[in-house]
């Protein structure tokens, strides 16, 4: 993309009403624009990152054997009456009526609808195990929408639902989700720690929230510092292998890590004092096993191998796709702007031309541009007739992890400058070498 042709409304001023850094930088980098409280337009740069995050979520869900689909945002109230949640949900649910006065709602989540779908088609245990998911906009009329996309009213969520014959199988689905989430967040450059959370009125130990540690997080958390040393890395997992998934779950959940809702001082105090941490965190996902409650209410039964009719064991599993942009920025920025991890960066590399209009500099930039494009990488070429200082400031704000600076002086010596946004370190090298270096960095992702 050539910046002169792009739509990137970078702001010079810090917006007054944005309280946390991710919100400020998303506004300043021209990623989002508020439409009304807690509702945002995704401008091209923000939309690009949102799509990258979605793509990672899709890939990792499908690696775990989960099946993508799409359910509507608008739902009929009827199903929610069957589950009893139409009244229970309260003012967070946006209720709408259509021209025939039929009661509708903008879905805050999809347990009812997916259970109804499965109930309509699945009649035998042979169709199981089954996990369906979608990535769809949700609406929750939050009392206090704030912090930009972090707590929106309209927000994008991956929500997945497992349907299993037995509790044991459903717990395997739970473990599978935990494992696949670890990998999902790591690919986005995030450490998200599974923490024991409150399962609400349903009870039981089977819910974990994934938290990214950040001072601006809304949740209070307590953990054993050893947990931050754990990395999932690129280990190969057979997601059908129950023992393997269980082992990963145990590895990542055996140390103390809880949200304030489940925190127990006495248990926490058993952790050696030097390792005890209390901090704040951003909830970027939650997994849940809840048994047969929805299946019974919405009629999702199958015949088991003995011919008996049994309700399906279910769980639901969410990832806050749009919130993740905020969480990534909170975890990765400096005072000049965003620093995108390679896995989600909107463009792979920035090209800054120090002397637009200089035949040699223009030509070198054009060849870099096509070299990257030919390799399937996306460069953002700042080809505007702007002062170098402005170009650098913009590039730093939008946070591309790599920048190549091209100027007549370097070109005389046959070199361009490759700069890491994270470390600020620069290196002079021939243009072809710079392309090779950047290509190598992205080859493993
Ligand atoms: P919270 O406690 O933050 O209100 P929740 O526990 O009600 O969230 P879930 O139902 O678990 O949310 O939804 C799954 C994920 O969707 C959450 O882990 C979070 O990342 C994201 N999410 C929930 N509410 C919002 C919101 N208002 N804006 C943006 N993302 C949200
Ligand atoms: Mg939650």
């Amino acid at each position: 993309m050539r910046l002169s042709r792009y739509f990137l409304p970078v702001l010079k001023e810090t917006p007054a009403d944005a309280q946390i850094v991710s919100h400020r930088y998303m506004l300043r980098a021209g990623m989002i624009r508020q439409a009304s409280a807690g509702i945002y337009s995704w401008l091209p740069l923000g939309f690009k990152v949102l799509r990258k995050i979605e793509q990672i979520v899709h890939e990792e869900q499908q690696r775990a054997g989960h099946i993508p689909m799409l359910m509507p945002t608008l739902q009929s109230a009827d199903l929610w009456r069957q589950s009893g949640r139409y009244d229970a949900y309260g003012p967070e649910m946006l209720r709408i009526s259509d021209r025939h006065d039929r009661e509708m709602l903008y879905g805050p989540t999809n347990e009812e609808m997916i259970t109804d779908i499965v109930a309509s088609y699945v009649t035998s245990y042979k169709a199981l195990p089954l996990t369906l998911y979608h990535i769809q906009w949700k609406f929750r009329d939050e009392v206090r929408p704030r912090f930009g996309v972090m707590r929106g009213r309209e927000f994008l969520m991956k929500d997945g639902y497992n349907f299993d014959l037995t509790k044991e199988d459903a717990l395997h689905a739970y473990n599978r989700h935990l494992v696949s989430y670890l990998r999902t967040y790591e690919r986005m450059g995030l450490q998200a720690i599974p923490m024991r959370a409150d399962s609400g009125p349903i009870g039981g130990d089977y819910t974990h929230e994934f938290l990214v540690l950040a001072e601006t997080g809304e949740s209070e958390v307590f953990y054993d510092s050893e947990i931050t040393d754990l990395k999932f890395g690129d280990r190969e997992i057979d997601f059908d292998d129950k023992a393997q998934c269980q082992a990963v779950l145990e590895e990542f959940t055996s140390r103390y890590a809880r949200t304030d809702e489940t925190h127990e001082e006495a248990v926490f105090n058993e952790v050696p004092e030097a390792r005890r941490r209390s901090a704040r965190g951003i909830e970027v996902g939650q997994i849940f096993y809840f048994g047969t409650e929805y299946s019974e209410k919405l009629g999702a039964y199958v015949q088991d191998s003995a011919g008996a009719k049994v309700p399906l064991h279910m769980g639901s599993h969410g990832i806050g796709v749009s919130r993740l942009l905020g969480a990534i920025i909170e975890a990765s920025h400096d005072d000049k702007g965003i620093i995108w991890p390679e896995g989600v960066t909107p463009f792979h590399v920035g090209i800054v031309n120090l002397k637009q209009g200089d035949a040699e500099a223009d030509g070198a930039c054009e060849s870099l541009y096509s070299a990257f494009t030919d390799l399937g990488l996306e460069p953002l070429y700042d080809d505007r007739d702007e002062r170098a200082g402005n170009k650098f400031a913009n590039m730093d704000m939008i946070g591309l992890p790599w920048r190549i600076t091209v100027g007549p002086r370097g070109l005389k010596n046959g070199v361009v400058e490759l700069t890491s946004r994270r470390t600020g370190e620069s290196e002079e090298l021939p243009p072809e070498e710079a392309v090779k270096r950047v290509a190598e960095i992205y080859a493993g992702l």
Side-chain angles (χ1 to χ4, degrees):
M1 180 59 64
R2 291 168 210 284
L3 199 45
S4 63
R5 308 274 183 83
Y6 200 40
F7 182 66
L8 186 69
V10 172
L11 306 179
K12 286 219 172 62
E13 313 287 305
T14 295
D17 53 337
Q19 300 163 36
I20 63 171
V21 70
S22 58
H23 188 196
R24 280 201 293 276
Y25 284 170
M26 286 183 80
L27 292 168
R28 287 201 52 195
M31 297 177 68
I32 51 169
R33 178 175 168 82
Q34 182 173 307
S36 59
I39 304 179
Y40 291 87
S41 292
W42 292 81
L43 305 181
L45 193 75
F47 181 60
K48 230 162 175 312
V49 181
L50 189 68
R51 281 280 180 261
K52 290 237 167 152
I53 291 174
E54 261 187 286
Q55 182 58 30
I56 291 176
V57 172
H58 272 301
E59 285 172 16
E60 294 307 324
Q61 283 303 301
Q62 289 170 51
R63 191 196 301 278
H66 307 156
I67 305 169
M69 60 180 292
L70 187 61
M71 289 175 272
T73 52
L74 292 182
Q75 306 184 21
S76 141
D78 296 345
L79 286 174
W80 287 73
R81 290 219 166 81
Q82 282 182 47
S83 73
R85 285 210 291 183
Y86 190 61
D87 295 323
Y89 218 93
E92 263 193 25
M93 181 185 274
L94 181 65
R95 296 153 208 263
I96 310 159
S97 44
D98 70 9
R99 66 198 300 165
H100 304 293
D101 284 332
R102 276 186 291 248
E103 289 174 278
M104 312 279 294
L105 57 100
Y106 195 123
T109 177
N110 280 67
E111 280 83 3
E112 284 78 359
M113 188 174 280
I114 192 75
T115 310
D116 179 59
I117 290 171
V118 169
S120 308
Y121 298 109
V122 175
T123 54
S124 159
Y125 72 96
K126 290 181 187 152
L128 308 175
L130 179 63
T131 295
L132 299 165
Y133 78 92
H134 72 163
I135 299 181
Q136 178 61 292
W137 295 93
K138 303 291 186 287
F139 195 94
R140 293 182 188 173
D141 206 350
E142 302 273 356
V143 212
R144 267 214 297 165
R146 56 178 187 162
F147 300 161
V149 300
M150 206 74 97
R151 182 161 300 281
R153 292 197 297 164
E154 187 186 53
F155 60 96
L156 192 60
M157 193 203 284
K158 185 285 300 191
D159 42 324
Y161 306 88
N162 67 285
F163 297 88
D164 288 280
L165 185 62
T166 62
K167 178 173 178 181
E168 188 207 323
D169 287 352
L171 289 179
H172 171 54
Y174 183 90
N175 299 349
R176 212 170 53 223
H177 278 89
L178 186 134
V179 176
S180 81
Y181 280 23
L182 291 171
R183 190 180 171 116
T184 303
Y185 298 121
E186 277 191 18
R187 279 189 62 186
M188 298 172 189
L190 280 179
Q191 178 166 46
I193 304 171
M195 298 202 179
R196 199 197 285 184
D198 185 14
S199 54
I202 299 161
D205 277 346
Y206 304 111
T207 185
H208 281 91
E209 285 179 358
F210 286 77
L211 286 114
V212 172
L213 300 174
E215 280 162 30
T216 50
E218 291 185 289
S219 313
E220 193 180 9
V221 299
F222 301 85
Y223 62 96
D224 176 342
S225 65
E226 272 192 0
I227 205 159
T228 55
D229 299 334
L230 297 175
K231 294 274 174 304
F232 184 77
D234 54 5
R235 45 182 117 170
E236 286 294 327
I237 292 283
D238 175 358
F239 282 95
D240 290 330
D241 186 330
K242 287 185 176 169
Q244 244 187 68
C245 293
Q246 176 72 32
V248 175
L249 174 124
E250 278 165 16
E251 180 186 344
F252 282 83
T253 61
S254 59
R255 290 174 187 76
Y256 194 95
R258 302 196 195 178
T259 63
D260 55 357
E261 294 158 338
T262 55
H263 179 56
E264 287 174 274
E265 205 61 38
V267 188
F268 190 44
N269 286 339
E270 288 165 21
V271 177
E273 195 175 353
R275 301 204 321 243
R276 268 180 249 153
R277 299 278 186 283
S278 75
R280 305 202 63 85
I282 302 167
E283 181 194 331
V284 292
Q286 183 163 21
I287 55 176
F288 214 128
Y289 161 74
F290 49 71
T292 58
E293 187 193 331
Y294 286 92
S295 310
E296 287 174 36
K297 286 183 173 149
L298 291 147
Y301 290 79
V302 294
Q303 291 216 309
D304 67 12
S305 59
K309 215 175 143 200
V310 294
L312 293 173
H313 285 261
M314 282 180 66
S316 63
H317 316 277
I319 292 182
V321 173
S322 50
R323 178 179 286 182
L324 272 166
L325 274 95
I328 292 169
I329 297 172
E330 289 298 326
S332 183
H333 67 268
D334 62 15
D335 55 3
K336 296 192 205 118
I338 302 166
I339 306 173
W340 292 115
E342 272 93 359
V344 298
T345 183
F347 294 95
H348 297 104
V349 56
I351 302 172
V352 170
N353 188 342
L354 292 178
K355 199 160 185 204
Q356 207 69 43
D358 174 89
E360 220 192 326
D362 290 2
C365 288
E366 290 298 334
S367 352
L368 283 168
Y369 190 87
S370 36
F372 282 120
T373 314
D374 291 347
L375 288 167
L377 294 173
E378 281 188 287
L380 180 67
Y381 171 22
D382 192 344
D383 60 342
R384 298 168 309 159
D385 190 12
E386 273 279 345
R387 286 192 310 117
N390 285 347
K391 291 189 176 188
F392 290 142
N394 273 347
M395 279 291 176
D396 284 344
M397 175 53 64
I398 69 171
L400 309 184
W402 298 96
R403 183 186 82 205
I404 297 181
T405 310
V406 180
R409 206 175 314 150
L411 288 175
K412 277 213 179 73
N413 304 319
V415 295
V416 295
E417 191 182 59
L418 178 64
T419 308
S420 156
R421 174 69 182 84
R422 190 168 294 280
T423 66
E425 279 163 29
S426 291
E427 197 183 337
E428 296 201 323
L429 65 192
E432 316 77 59
E433 280 302 311
V435 172
K436 219 173 112 194
R437 193 74 65 78
V438 172
E440 274 164 14
I441 290 160
Y442 286 103
L445 295 178

